[in-house]
Short mmCIF file of all heavy atoms in Angstrom, two decimals:
data_model
loop_
_atom_site.label_atom_id
_atom_site.label_comp_id
_atom_site.label_asym_id
_atom_site.label_seq_id
_atom_site.Cartn_x
_atom_site.Cartn_y
_atom_site.Cartn_z
N MET A 1 0.41 -3.89 -15.75
CA MET A 1 1.18 -2.83 -15.12
C MET A 1 1.91 -3.33 -13.86
O MET A 1 3.00 -2.88 -13.53
CB MET A 1 0.32 -1.60 -14.81
CG MET A 1 0.36 -0.61 -15.92
SD MET A 1 -0.49 0.89 -15.49
CE MET A 1 0.87 1.88 -14.86
N ALA A 2 1.25 -4.25 -13.16
CA ALA A 2 1.88 -4.79 -11.95
C ALA A 2 3.24 -5.44 -12.35
O ALA A 2 4.21 -5.30 -11.64
CB ALA A 2 0.98 -5.75 -11.30
N GLY A 3 3.25 -6.13 -13.43
CA GLY A 3 4.48 -6.73 -13.93
C GLY A 3 5.53 -5.69 -14.25
O GLY A 3 6.71 -5.95 -13.97
N TRP A 4 5.15 -4.58 -14.79
CA TRP A 4 6.11 -3.53 -15.07
C TRP A 4 6.72 -3.02 -13.75
O TRP A 4 7.92 -2.76 -13.70
CB TRP A 4 5.43 -2.37 -15.87
CG TRP A 4 6.45 -1.29 -16.15
CD1 TRP A 4 6.47 -0.09 -15.59
CD2 TRP A 4 7.53 -1.34 -17.06
NE1 TRP A 4 7.51 0.64 -16.08
CE2 TRP A 4 8.19 -0.11 -16.96
CE3 TRP A 4 8.05 -2.34 -17.88
CZ2 TRP A 4 9.34 0.19 -17.68
CZ3 TRP A 4 9.18 -2.03 -18.61
CH2 TRP A 4 9.83 -0.80 -18.53
N TYR A 5 5.89 -2.78 -12.78
CA TYR A 5 6.41 -2.34 -11.46
C TYR A 5 7.42 -3.37 -10.95
O TYR A 5 8.46 -3.04 -10.43
CB TYR A 5 5.32 -2.15 -10.42
CG TYR A 5 4.58 -0.84 -10.56
CD1 TYR A 5 3.19 -0.78 -10.64
CD2 TYR A 5 5.29 0.34 -10.57
CE1 TYR A 5 2.54 0.42 -10.73
CE2 TYR A 5 4.61 1.58 -10.68
CZ TYR A 5 3.21 1.59 -10.76
OH TYR A 5 2.59 2.79 -10.86
N ALA A 6 7.15 -4.67 -11.10
CA ALA A 6 8.07 -5.67 -10.67
C ALA A 6 9.38 -5.60 -11.40
O ALA A 6 10.47 -5.68 -10.86
CB ALA A 6 7.43 -7.07 -10.86
N THR A 7 9.29 -5.37 -12.75
CA THR A 7 10.49 -5.29 -13.58
C THR A 7 11.36 -4.08 -13.15
O THR A 7 12.60 -4.15 -13.21
CB THR A 7 10.11 -5.11 -15.06
OG1 THR A 7 9.33 -6.23 -15.42
CG2 THR A 7 11.32 -4.98 -15.95
N GLU A 8 10.67 -3.04 -12.74
CA GLU A 8 11.41 -1.83 -12.31
C GLU A 8 11.90 -1.91 -10.84
O GLU A 8 12.45 -0.99 -10.30
CB GLU A 8 10.51 -0.60 -12.45
CG GLU A 8 10.20 -0.27 -13.91
CD GLU A 8 11.39 0.29 -14.58
OE1 GLU A 8 12.03 1.20 -14.09
OE2 GLU A 8 11.76 -0.28 -15.67
N GLY A 9 11.64 -3.06 -10.14
CA GLY A 9 12.05 -3.20 -8.78
C GLY A 9 11.15 -2.56 -7.80
O GLY A 9 11.48 -2.36 -6.62
N ARG A 10 9.93 -2.18 -8.21
CA ARG A 10 8.99 -1.50 -7.36
C ARG A 10 7.87 -2.47 -6.99
O ARG A 10 6.68 -2.23 -7.27
CB ARG A 10 8.48 -0.22 -8.06
CG ARG A 10 9.66 0.73 -8.40
CD ARG A 10 9.23 1.83 -9.27
NE ARG A 10 8.57 2.83 -8.47
CZ ARG A 10 8.01 3.94 -8.97
NH1 ARG A 10 8.03 4.14 -10.27
NH2 ARG A 10 7.38 4.76 -8.20
N THR A 11 8.25 -3.55 -6.34
CA THR A 11 7.31 -4.60 -6.09
C THR A 11 6.15 -4.20 -5.15
O THR A 11 5.01 -4.66 -5.28
CB THR A 11 7.99 -5.84 -5.46
OG1 THR A 11 8.76 -5.48 -4.33
CG2 THR A 11 8.93 -6.44 -6.50
N ALA A 12 6.38 -3.30 -4.21
CA ALA A 12 5.32 -2.87 -3.33
C ALA A 12 4.24 -2.16 -4.14
O ALA A 12 3.03 -2.32 -3.85
CB ALA A 12 5.90 -1.91 -2.23
N LEU A 13 4.62 -1.37 -5.10
CA LEU A 13 3.64 -0.68 -5.96
C LEU A 13 2.86 -1.70 -6.84
O LEU A 13 1.67 -1.52 -7.04
CB LEU A 13 4.27 0.41 -6.82
CG LEU A 13 4.63 1.68 -6.13
CD1 LEU A 13 5.43 2.61 -7.03
CD2 LEU A 13 3.41 2.33 -5.59
N GLY A 14 3.54 -2.71 -7.32
CA GLY A 14 2.91 -3.77 -8.08
C GLY A 14 1.85 -4.50 -7.23
O GLY A 14 0.74 -4.76 -7.72
N ALA A 15 2.20 -4.85 -6.03
CA ALA A 15 1.28 -5.51 -5.12
C ALA A 15 0.08 -4.57 -4.86
O ALA A 15 -1.07 -5.02 -4.86
CB ALA A 15 1.97 -5.90 -3.83
N THR A 16 0.33 -3.34 -4.58
CA THR A 16 -0.72 -2.32 -4.34
C THR A 16 -1.65 -2.27 -5.52
O THR A 16 -2.87 -2.19 -5.39
CB THR A 16 -0.11 -0.99 -3.99
OG1 THR A 16 0.66 -1.15 -2.81
CG2 THR A 16 -1.24 0.06 -3.78
N MET A 17 -1.10 -2.27 -6.73
CA MET A 17 -1.91 -2.21 -7.95
C MET A 17 -2.84 -3.46 -8.08
O MET A 17 -4.00 -3.34 -8.36
CB MET A 17 -1.04 -2.16 -9.24
CG MET A 17 -1.88 -2.24 -10.47
SD MET A 17 -0.88 -1.78 -11.87
CE MET A 17 -1.15 -0.01 -11.81
N LEU A 18 -2.35 -4.65 -7.77
CA LEU A 18 -3.15 -5.83 -7.76
C LEU A 18 -4.29 -5.73 -6.74
O LEU A 18 -5.43 -6.13 -7.01
CB LEU A 18 -2.34 -7.08 -7.53
CG LEU A 18 -1.36 -7.47 -8.63
CD1 LEU A 18 -0.53 -8.69 -8.22
CD2 LEU A 18 -2.11 -7.78 -9.94
N LEU A 19 -4.00 -5.22 -5.58
CA LEU A 19 -5.06 -5.10 -4.55
C LEU A 19 -6.09 -4.06 -5.00
O LEU A 19 -7.31 -4.27 -4.83
CB LEU A 19 -4.42 -4.66 -3.24
CG LEU A 19 -3.58 -5.71 -2.51
CD1 LEU A 19 -2.79 -5.08 -1.35
CD2 LEU A 19 -4.50 -6.83 -2.06
N ALA A 20 -5.63 -2.94 -5.60
CA ALA A 20 -6.57 -1.93 -6.09
C ALA A 20 -7.46 -2.43 -7.23
O ALA A 20 -8.63 -2.02 -7.39
CB ALA A 20 -5.81 -0.68 -6.51
N ALA A 21 -6.91 -3.36 -8.04
CA ALA A 21 -7.64 -3.86 -9.21
C ALA A 21 -8.70 -4.89 -8.82
O ALA A 21 -9.57 -5.24 -9.60
CB ALA A 21 -6.68 -4.49 -10.18
N HIS A 22 -8.66 -5.36 -7.60
CA HIS A 22 -9.54 -6.44 -7.17
C HIS A 22 -11.04 -6.10 -7.44
O HIS A 22 -11.79 -6.93 -8.00
CB HIS A 22 -9.37 -6.69 -5.66
CG HIS A 22 -10.23 -7.80 -5.11
ND1 HIS A 22 -11.51 -7.56 -4.67
CD2 HIS A 22 -10.02 -9.11 -5.00
CE1 HIS A 22 -12.05 -8.70 -4.31
NE2 HIS A 22 -11.12 -9.67 -4.50
N ASP A 23 -11.48 -4.92 -7.10
CA ASP A 23 -12.89 -4.54 -7.26
C ASP A 23 -13.21 -4.24 -8.72
O ASP A 23 -14.43 -4.16 -9.04
CB ASP A 23 -13.25 -3.37 -6.42
CG ASP A 23 -13.18 -3.67 -4.93
OD1 ASP A 23 -13.30 -4.83 -4.60
OD2 ASP A 23 -12.99 -2.72 -4.13
N ARG A 24 -12.27 -4.11 -9.59
CA ARG A 24 -12.54 -3.78 -10.96
C ARG A 24 -12.42 -4.96 -11.91
O ARG A 24 -12.78 -4.90 -13.05
CB ARG A 24 -11.55 -2.69 -11.41
CG ARG A 24 -11.85 -1.36 -10.74
CD ARG A 24 -10.72 -0.38 -10.98
NE ARG A 24 -10.92 0.84 -10.24
CZ ARG A 24 -10.56 0.99 -8.98
NH1 ARG A 24 -9.99 0.01 -8.32
NH2 ARG A 24 -10.78 2.18 -8.37
N TRP A 25 -11.87 -6.05 -11.45
CA TRP A 25 -11.61 -7.19 -12.29
C TRP A 25 -12.80 -8.14 -12.26
O TRP A 25 -13.25 -8.55 -11.16
CB TRP A 25 -10.37 -7.98 -11.84
CG TRP A 25 -10.04 -9.14 -12.71
CD1 TRP A 25 -10.88 -9.99 -13.33
CD2 TRP A 25 -8.75 -9.58 -13.05
NE1 TRP A 25 -10.21 -10.95 -14.03
CE2 TRP A 25 -8.93 -10.71 -13.89
CE3 TRP A 25 -7.45 -9.15 -12.74
CZ2 TRP A 25 -7.83 -11.41 -14.41
CZ3 TRP A 25 -6.42 -9.82 -13.26
CH2 TRP A 25 -6.57 -10.94 -14.08
N TRP A 26 -13.30 -8.55 -13.41
CA TRP A 26 -14.40 -9.47 -13.51
C TRP A 26 -13.94 -10.72 -14.29
O TRP A 26 -14.29 -10.85 -15.45
CB TRP A 26 -15.61 -8.84 -14.21
CG TRP A 26 -16.37 -7.94 -13.29
CD1 TRP A 26 -15.92 -6.86 -12.61
CD2 TRP A 26 -17.75 -8.03 -12.99
NE1 TRP A 26 -16.90 -6.30 -11.91
CE2 TRP A 26 -18.05 -7.00 -12.14
CE3 TRP A 26 -18.79 -8.94 -13.38
CZ2 TRP A 26 -19.30 -6.83 -11.65
CZ3 TRP A 26 -20.00 -8.72 -12.88
CH2 TRP A 26 -20.28 -7.69 -12.02
N PRO A 27 -13.18 -11.51 -13.68
CA PRO A 27 -12.68 -12.72 -14.40
C PRO A 27 -13.78 -13.77 -14.51
O PRO A 27 -14.81 -13.63 -13.89
CB PRO A 27 -11.59 -13.24 -13.46
CG PRO A 27 -12.04 -12.85 -12.11
CD PRO A 27 -12.69 -11.49 -12.31
N TYR A 28 -13.57 -14.74 -15.30
CA TYR A 28 -14.55 -15.80 -15.47
C TYR A 28 -14.58 -16.70 -14.31
O TYR A 28 -15.64 -17.26 -13.94
CB TYR A 28 -14.23 -16.61 -16.76
CG TYR A 28 -14.42 -15.82 -17.98
CD1 TYR A 28 -13.32 -15.43 -18.76
CD2 TYR A 28 -15.67 -15.41 -18.43
CE1 TYR A 28 -13.44 -14.67 -19.91
CE2 TYR A 28 -15.83 -14.64 -19.54
CZ TYR A 28 -14.76 -14.26 -20.28
OH TYR A 28 -14.90 -13.51 -21.38
N LYS A 29 -13.48 -16.93 -13.67
CA LYS A 29 -13.40 -17.74 -12.46
C LYS A 29 -12.38 -17.09 -11.51
O LYS A 29 -11.49 -16.39 -11.91
CB LYS A 29 -12.87 -19.15 -12.81
CG LYS A 29 -13.80 -19.88 -13.80
CD LYS A 29 -13.29 -21.29 -14.00
CE LYS A 29 -14.09 -22.02 -15.04
NZ LYS A 29 -15.41 -22.33 -14.71
N LYS A 30 -12.60 -17.28 -10.25
CA LYS A 30 -11.76 -16.68 -9.24
C LYS A 30 -10.28 -16.95 -9.44
O LYS A 30 -9.48 -16.07 -9.28
CB LYS A 30 -12.18 -17.14 -7.83
CG LYS A 30 -13.49 -16.65 -7.41
CD LYS A 30 -13.82 -17.07 -6.03
CE LYS A 30 -15.18 -16.54 -5.66
NZ LYS A 30 -15.60 -16.89 -4.35
N TRP A 31 -9.93 -18.14 -9.84
CA TRP A 31 -8.51 -18.46 -9.99
C TRP A 31 -7.90 -17.86 -11.24
O TRP A 31 -6.71 -17.93 -11.42
CB TRP A 31 -8.24 -20.00 -9.94
CG TRP A 31 -9.09 -20.73 -10.95
CD1 TRP A 31 -8.82 -20.95 -12.24
CD2 TRP A 31 -10.34 -21.39 -10.71
NE1 TRP A 31 -9.81 -21.64 -12.83
CE2 TRP A 31 -10.74 -21.94 -11.92
CE3 TRP A 31 -11.11 -21.55 -9.57
CZ2 TRP A 31 -11.93 -22.68 -12.03
CZ3 TRP A 31 -12.31 -22.22 -9.71
CH2 TRP A 31 -12.65 -22.81 -10.89
N ASP A 32 -8.68 -17.23 -12.06
CA ASP A 32 -8.10 -16.45 -13.21
C ASP A 32 -7.30 -15.27 -12.72
O ASP A 32 -6.42 -14.83 -13.39
CB ASP A 32 -9.19 -15.99 -14.17
CG ASP A 32 -9.77 -17.04 -15.06
OD1 ASP A 32 -9.22 -18.16 -15.07
OD2 ASP A 32 -10.81 -16.78 -15.66
N ALA A 33 -7.69 -14.78 -11.57
CA ALA A 33 -6.99 -13.56 -11.03
C ALA A 33 -5.69 -13.94 -10.36
O ALA A 33 -4.61 -13.56 -10.72
CB ALA A 33 -7.95 -12.80 -10.08
N ILE A 34 -5.77 -14.71 -9.33
CA ILE A 34 -4.62 -15.14 -8.53
C ILE A 34 -4.78 -16.60 -8.25
O ILE A 34 -5.67 -16.95 -7.43
CB ILE A 34 -4.46 -14.33 -7.25
CG1 ILE A 34 -4.34 -12.84 -7.51
CG2 ILE A 34 -3.26 -14.80 -6.42
CD1 ILE A 34 -3.08 -12.41 -8.22
N PRO A 35 -4.01 -17.48 -8.77
CA PRO A 35 -4.15 -18.91 -8.52
C PRO A 35 -3.73 -19.24 -7.08
O PRO A 35 -2.97 -18.53 -6.47
CB PRO A 35 -3.22 -19.59 -9.52
CG PRO A 35 -2.20 -18.51 -9.81
CD PRO A 35 -2.92 -17.19 -9.71
N ASP A 36 -4.26 -20.31 -6.53
CA ASP A 36 -3.92 -20.73 -5.20
C ASP A 36 -2.58 -21.50 -5.19
O ASP A 36 -1.98 -21.71 -4.15
CB ASP A 36 -4.98 -21.52 -4.52
CG ASP A 36 -5.36 -22.75 -5.25
OD1 ASP A 36 -4.82 -23.02 -6.35
OD2 ASP A 36 -6.26 -23.47 -4.78
N SER A 37 -2.10 -21.89 -6.36
CA SER A 37 -0.79 -22.51 -6.46
C SER A 37 0.25 -21.48 -6.79
O SER A 37 -0.06 -20.30 -6.85
CB SER A 37 -0.84 -23.59 -7.57
OG SER A 37 -1.13 -23.01 -8.81
N ALA A 38 1.43 -21.91 -6.99
CA ALA A 38 2.55 -20.91 -7.27
C ALA A 38 2.25 -20.15 -8.57
O ALA A 38 1.74 -20.76 -9.55
CB ALA A 38 3.86 -21.66 -7.42
N VAL A 39 2.53 -18.89 -8.56
CA VAL A 39 2.40 -18.07 -9.79
C VAL A 39 3.50 -18.45 -10.72
O VAL A 39 4.69 -18.40 -10.35
CB VAL A 39 2.44 -16.56 -9.44
CG1 VAL A 39 2.35 -15.73 -10.73
CG2 VAL A 39 1.28 -16.18 -8.51
N LEU A 40 3.16 -18.82 -11.94
CA LEU A 40 4.12 -19.30 -12.92
C LEU A 40 4.81 -18.20 -13.64
O LEU A 40 5.94 -18.39 -14.11
CB LEU A 40 3.48 -20.28 -13.86
CG LEU A 40 2.88 -21.55 -13.19
CD1 LEU A 40 2.21 -22.41 -14.23
CD2 LEU A 40 3.94 -22.32 -12.43
N GLN A 41 4.20 -17.08 -13.79
CA GLN A 41 4.81 -15.95 -14.53
C GLN A 41 5.88 -15.31 -13.63
O GLN A 41 5.53 -14.73 -12.56
CB GLN A 41 3.72 -14.95 -14.92
CG GLN A 41 3.98 -14.19 -16.18
CD GLN A 41 5.02 -13.09 -16.00
OE1 GLN A 41 5.44 -12.76 -14.92
NE2 GLN A 41 5.45 -12.53 -17.13
N PRO A 42 7.14 -15.44 -13.94
CA PRO A 42 8.18 -15.00 -13.00
C PRO A 42 8.14 -13.56 -12.54
O PRO A 42 8.41 -13.24 -11.42
CB PRO A 42 9.52 -15.28 -13.77
CG PRO A 42 9.16 -16.19 -14.87
CD PRO A 42 7.69 -15.97 -15.17
N THR A 43 7.77 -12.67 -13.44
CA THR A 43 7.69 -11.27 -13.08
C THR A 43 6.57 -11.02 -12.06
O THR A 43 6.74 -10.29 -11.06
CB THR A 43 7.47 -10.38 -14.34
OG1 THR A 43 8.52 -10.65 -15.26
CG2 THR A 43 7.47 -8.93 -13.96
N LEU A 44 5.38 -11.63 -12.30
CA LEU A 44 4.27 -11.42 -11.36
C LEU A 44 4.50 -12.06 -10.05
O LEU A 44 3.94 -11.67 -9.02
CB LEU A 44 2.97 -11.85 -12.03
CG LEU A 44 2.44 -10.94 -13.08
CD1 LEU A 44 1.08 -11.42 -13.61
CD2 LEU A 44 2.30 -9.51 -12.60
N ARG A 45 5.34 -13.08 -10.00
CA ARG A 45 5.65 -13.76 -8.72
C ARG A 45 6.18 -12.78 -7.72
O ARG A 45 5.93 -12.88 -6.54
CB ARG A 45 6.76 -14.83 -8.98
CG ARG A 45 6.29 -16.17 -8.69
CD ARG A 45 7.46 -17.15 -8.84
NE ARG A 45 7.21 -17.91 -10.06
CZ ARG A 45 8.12 -18.53 -10.74
NH1 ARG A 45 9.37 -18.54 -10.30
NH2 ARG A 45 7.79 -19.18 -11.82
N LEU A 46 6.87 -11.72 -8.21
CA LEU A 46 7.47 -10.79 -7.32
C LEU A 46 6.42 -9.88 -6.62
O LEU A 46 6.64 -9.40 -5.55
CB LEU A 46 8.41 -9.85 -8.11
CG LEU A 46 9.60 -10.57 -8.74
CD1 LEU A 46 10.32 -9.59 -9.69
CD2 LEU A 46 10.54 -11.15 -7.71
N VAL A 47 5.26 -9.69 -7.27
CA VAL A 47 4.28 -8.76 -6.68
C VAL A 47 3.05 -9.52 -6.06
O VAL A 47 2.25 -8.91 -5.40
CB VAL A 47 3.75 -7.72 -7.74
CG1 VAL A 47 4.86 -6.80 -8.16
CG2 VAL A 47 3.13 -8.44 -8.93
N VAL A 48 2.97 -10.84 -6.27
CA VAL A 48 1.90 -11.61 -5.60
C VAL A 48 2.39 -12.01 -4.20
O VAL A 48 2.95 -13.09 -4.00
CB VAL A 48 1.51 -12.85 -6.45
CG1 VAL A 48 0.42 -13.64 -5.72
CG2 VAL A 48 1.04 -12.40 -7.84
N THR A 49 2.21 -11.03 -3.32
CA THR A 49 2.67 -11.27 -1.93
C THR A 49 1.64 -12.10 -1.18
O THR A 49 0.54 -12.35 -1.72
CB THR A 49 2.84 -9.93 -1.22
OG1 THR A 49 1.57 -9.24 -1.22
CG2 THR A 49 3.85 -9.00 -1.93
N ASP A 50 1.94 -12.53 0.01
CA ASP A 50 1.00 -13.26 0.80
C ASP A 50 -0.28 -12.42 1.02
O ASP A 50 -1.38 -12.95 0.98
CB ASP A 50 1.61 -13.67 2.18
CG ASP A 50 2.64 -14.72 2.06
OD1 ASP A 50 2.65 -15.41 1.03
OD2 ASP A 50 3.45 -14.84 3.01
N ARG A 51 -0.10 -11.12 1.18
CA ARG A 51 -1.27 -10.24 1.41
C ARG A 51 -2.15 -10.22 0.16
O ARG A 51 -3.37 -10.27 0.25
CB ARG A 51 -0.75 -8.84 1.74
CG ARG A 51 -1.87 -7.85 1.97
CD ARG A 51 -1.26 -6.48 2.39
NE ARG A 51 -2.32 -5.52 2.33
CZ ARG A 51 -2.17 -4.29 1.84
NH1 ARG A 51 -0.99 -3.88 1.41
NH2 ARG A 51 -3.16 -3.41 1.83
N VAL A 52 -1.55 -10.12 -1.04
CA VAL A 52 -2.31 -10.09 -2.32
C VAL A 52 -3.06 -11.43 -2.46
O VAL A 52 -4.21 -11.45 -2.75
CB VAL A 52 -1.38 -9.77 -3.47
CG1 VAL A 52 -2.12 -9.98 -4.80
CG2 VAL A 52 -0.85 -8.36 -3.41
N ARG A 53 -2.30 -12.52 -2.26
CA ARG A 53 -2.93 -13.81 -2.46
C ARG A 53 -4.11 -14.04 -1.49
O ARG A 53 -5.18 -14.45 -1.87
CB ARG A 53 -1.85 -14.91 -2.22
CG ARG A 53 -2.42 -16.30 -2.51
CD ARG A 53 -1.36 -17.39 -2.21
NE ARG A 53 -0.06 -17.16 -2.86
CZ ARG A 53 0.15 -17.43 -4.15
NH1 ARG A 53 -0.76 -17.90 -4.86
NH2 ARG A 53 1.33 -17.21 -4.64
N GLU A 54 -3.91 -13.70 -0.24
CA GLU A 54 -4.99 -13.85 0.77
C GLU A 54 -6.25 -13.00 0.37
O GLU A 54 -7.36 -13.47 0.44
CB GLU A 54 -4.51 -13.42 2.14
CG GLU A 54 -5.61 -13.53 3.20
CD GLU A 54 -5.11 -13.11 4.57
OE1 GLU A 54 -3.92 -12.94 4.79
OE2 GLU A 54 -5.98 -12.92 5.41
N HIS A 55 -5.95 -11.78 -0.07
CA HIS A 55 -7.07 -10.89 -0.46
C HIS A 55 -7.86 -11.48 -1.61
O HIS A 55 -9.12 -11.54 -1.57
CB HIS A 55 -6.54 -9.50 -0.83
CG HIS A 55 -7.61 -8.50 -1.06
ND1 HIS A 55 -8.23 -7.87 -0.02
CD2 HIS A 55 -8.14 -8.03 -2.20
CE1 HIS A 55 -9.16 -7.04 -0.52
NE2 HIS A 55 -9.13 -7.13 -1.84
N TYR A 56 -7.21 -11.90 -2.63
CA TYR A 56 -7.91 -12.43 -3.82
C TYR A 56 -8.57 -13.79 -3.53
O TYR A 56 -9.59 -14.09 -4.13
CB TYR A 56 -6.93 -12.60 -4.99
CG TYR A 56 -6.86 -11.39 -5.87
CD1 TYR A 56 -6.00 -10.37 -5.53
CD2 TYR A 56 -7.65 -11.30 -6.99
CE1 TYR A 56 -5.95 -9.23 -6.30
CE2 TYR A 56 -7.60 -10.15 -7.79
CZ TYR A 56 -6.75 -9.14 -7.47
OH TYR A 56 -6.70 -8.00 -8.26
N LEU A 57 -8.04 -14.57 -2.64
CA LEU A 57 -8.64 -15.85 -2.35
C LEU A 57 -9.74 -15.83 -1.30
O LEU A 57 -10.50 -16.79 -1.14
CB LEU A 57 -7.55 -16.86 -1.92
CG LEU A 57 -6.53 -17.23 -3.03
CD1 LEU A 57 -5.48 -18.12 -2.48
CD2 LEU A 57 -7.24 -17.83 -4.21
N THR A 58 -9.86 -14.69 -0.58
CA THR A 58 -10.89 -14.64 0.46
C THR A 58 -12.00 -13.60 0.19
O THR A 58 -13.04 -13.71 0.82
CB THR A 58 -10.26 -14.35 1.83
OG1 THR A 58 -9.59 -13.06 1.76
CG2 THR A 58 -9.29 -15.41 2.28
N GLN A 59 -11.77 -12.74 -0.73
CA GLN A 59 -12.78 -11.72 -1.06
C GLN A 59 -13.46 -12.03 -2.38
O GLN A 59 -12.83 -12.30 -3.39
CB GLN A 59 -12.13 -10.33 -1.18
CG GLN A 59 -11.37 -9.88 0.08
CD GLN A 59 -12.33 -9.75 1.26
OE1 GLN A 59 -13.38 -9.19 1.18
NE2 GLN A 59 -11.89 -10.33 2.36
N PRO A 60 -14.81 -12.02 -2.39
CA PRO A 60 -15.50 -12.32 -3.67
C PRO A 60 -15.18 -11.28 -4.72
O PRO A 60 -14.95 -10.10 -4.42
CB PRO A 60 -16.98 -12.20 -3.34
CG PRO A 60 -17.02 -12.13 -1.79
CD PRO A 60 -15.71 -11.73 -1.34
N ILE A 61 -15.11 -11.75 -5.99
CA ILE A 61 -14.87 -10.82 -7.12
C ILE A 61 -15.89 -11.10 -8.19
O ILE A 61 -16.55 -12.14 -8.18
CB ILE A 61 -13.43 -11.02 -7.66
CG1 ILE A 61 -13.16 -12.46 -8.00
CG2 ILE A 61 -12.40 -10.47 -6.70
CD1 ILE A 61 -11.80 -12.73 -8.59
N GLY A 62 -15.94 -10.16 -9.11
CA GLY A 62 -16.88 -10.30 -10.23
C GLY A 62 -18.32 -10.43 -9.77
O GLY A 62 -18.73 -9.74 -8.79
N PRO A 63 -19.14 -11.21 -10.40
CA PRO A 63 -20.56 -11.29 -10.08
C PRO A 63 -20.78 -11.78 -8.66
O PRO A 63 -21.77 -11.41 -7.99
CB PRO A 63 -21.09 -12.35 -11.08
CG PRO A 63 -20.09 -12.43 -12.15
CD PRO A 63 -18.79 -12.03 -11.55
N GLU A 64 -19.86 -12.60 -8.09
CA GLU A 64 -20.03 -13.06 -6.76
C GLU A 64 -19.97 -11.97 -5.69
O GLU A 64 -20.47 -12.10 -4.60
CB GLU A 64 -18.94 -14.10 -6.39
CG GLU A 64 -19.01 -15.38 -7.26
CD GLU A 64 -18.23 -15.27 -8.51
OE1 GLU A 64 -17.52 -14.25 -8.75
OE2 GLU A 64 -18.32 -16.22 -9.37
N ALA A 65 -19.37 -10.86 -6.01
CA ALA A 65 -19.20 -9.72 -5.06
C ALA A 65 -20.50 -8.96 -4.91
O ALA A 65 -20.66 -8.23 -3.92
CB ALA A 65 -18.06 -8.82 -5.52
N GLU A 66 -21.39 -9.08 -5.83
CA GLU A 66 -22.62 -8.29 -5.74
C GLU A 66 -23.70 -8.92 -4.95
O GLU A 66 -23.99 -9.97 -4.83
CB GLU A 66 -23.12 -7.94 -7.14
CG GLU A 66 -22.17 -7.07 -7.83
CD GLU A 66 -22.70 -6.60 -9.19
OE1 GLU A 66 -23.73 -7.12 -9.65
OE2 GLU A 66 -22.06 -5.69 -9.73
#
């Protein structure tokens, strides 16, 4: 859905969606969610803001959060 917001030009809502999904996503590895390198998917690049990247890279997710 974040990608859809980006496609519609509503990047702030896409970024907000990624931040809200943080506590609900249980990826296999932290970098499955937001990589520390450039996001390769062009649509998601629009919504992976510095704030989103920092949040995903500094806050534990999945089993590490418990």
Side-chain angles (χ1 to χ4, degrees):
M1 268 188 93
W4 179 252
Y5 280 128
T7 301
E8 292 291 308
R10 301 171 78 184
T11 55
L13 284 173
T16 299
M17 174 168 274
L18 290 177
L19 290 169
H22 181 272
D23 293 336
R24 292 170 185 82
W25 184 323
W26 282 57
Y28 294 110
K29 298 183 186 291
K30 291 182 182 181
W31 54 83
D32 284 348
I34 301 292
D36 59 359
S37 61
V39 176
L40 299 177
Q41 210 284 348
T43 304
L44 288 182
R45 243 184 253 162
L46 300 171
V47 295
V48 179
T49 62
D50 289 341
R51 180 176 168 222
V52 170
R53 185 182 308 281
E54 179 182 348
H55 187 81
Y56 269 85
L57 294 176
T58 61
Q59 301 299 313
I61 53 178
E64 295 89 4
E66 292 186 350

